[in-house]
Amino acid sequence: MTGEDRLESATTGARRLVSVLRLVAVALVVVGFVGWLVDHDGEVVLESPYTLAFGVGVACALVAIYLGVFLANRG
């Protein structure tokens, strides 16, 4: 396996990771937001598990954006 093949394989894996992170981010943000609306009548309760789901979803989105920009600038 040459260096170019390894780089291409790593890039493909990183792009797949970005796609998975985007999907997880959307799912968690939607679940967290809908959970807030349904479970607590629109009131944000910081002790709720939906708050954790929403926060993790936002974190996944930020990581996916960062990795996507990094991969786009890389080549």
Side-chain angles (χ1 to χ4, degrees):
M1 186 178 247
T2 66
E4 286 184 22
D5 291 338
R6 288 183 188 160
L7 181 61
E8 185 176 326
S9 176
T11 302
T12 303
R15 287 185 178 149
R16 188 172 297 137
L17 176 64
V18 169
S19 295
V20 169
L21 282 172
R22 284 186 208 159
L23 181 64
V24 169
V26 169
L28 287 175
V29 166
V30 168
V31 166
F33 189 73
V34 170
W36 278 343
L37 292 178
V38 172
D39 197 31
H40 299 287
D41 297 326
E43 182 181 334
V44 176
V45 178
L46 295 179
E47 295 83 23
S48 172
Y50 299 113
T51 303
L52 180 63
F54 187 82
V56 171
V58 170
C60 285
L62 292 174
V63 170
I65 291 168
Y66 175 77
L67 287 176
V69 168
F70 179 75
L71 288 172
N73 287 337
R74 194 170 181 196

